[in-house]
Amino acid sequence: MVKEYGNLQEVGFIATGCTLGSEKIAIAFLKTGAKYFIGPARYVDGNAALLFVQYLFYHISKGEKINKAFKKAKTIDRETNQFIFFK
């Protein structure tokens, strides 16, 4: 459905739901033109997902590139380490 109806030209996509960081889902979004797709590989704690996104955007707001901000946000703990970056 995403591949058929999606048009995400130059949009970055962050999924925080459990197991949404699968390669199959990421590829579907990337094929619609998304710049990147970020999501957790396994079941992630909701508080950790929220903290991951906040930390990610905090570093982006300080001028860091998405790749570097992602690496920092991912290292908070075991839960946030589940997030995967697809480009």
Side-chain angles (χ1 to χ4, degrees):
M1 193 103 115
V2 173
K3 287 187 267 184
E4 188 176 346
Y5 296 106
N7 184 9
L8 301 171
Q9 298 301 314
E10 297 302 311
V11 174
F13 196 87
I14 302 169
T16 58
C18 296
T19 71
L20 290 178
S22 76
E23 186 174 3
K24 186 176 181 179
I25 294 172
I27 288 171
F29 278 86
L30 294 174
K31 283 186 176 181
T32 67
K35 286 173 68 171
Y36 59 84
F37 182 91
I38 297 172
R42 297 179 300 279
Y43 292 90
V44 65
D45 177 74
N47 293 325
L50 177 61
L51 183 60
F52 171 83
V53 172
Q54 288 176 323
Y55 204 69
L56 178 74
F57 284 125
Y58 171 77
H59 285 287
I60 291 170
S61 75
K62 296 295 182 186
E64 292 192 22
K65 302 284 185 194
I66 184 70
N67 295 344
K68 190 171 183 181
F70 171 79
K71 287 177 184 176
K72 287 183 177 181
K74 182 179 171 83
T75 62
I76 296 170
D77 66 11
R78 284 190 344 222
E79 292 290 319
T80 59
N81 192 46
Q82 296 182 59
F83 282 86
I84 303 171
F85 187 96
F86 297 91
K87 196 163 182 171

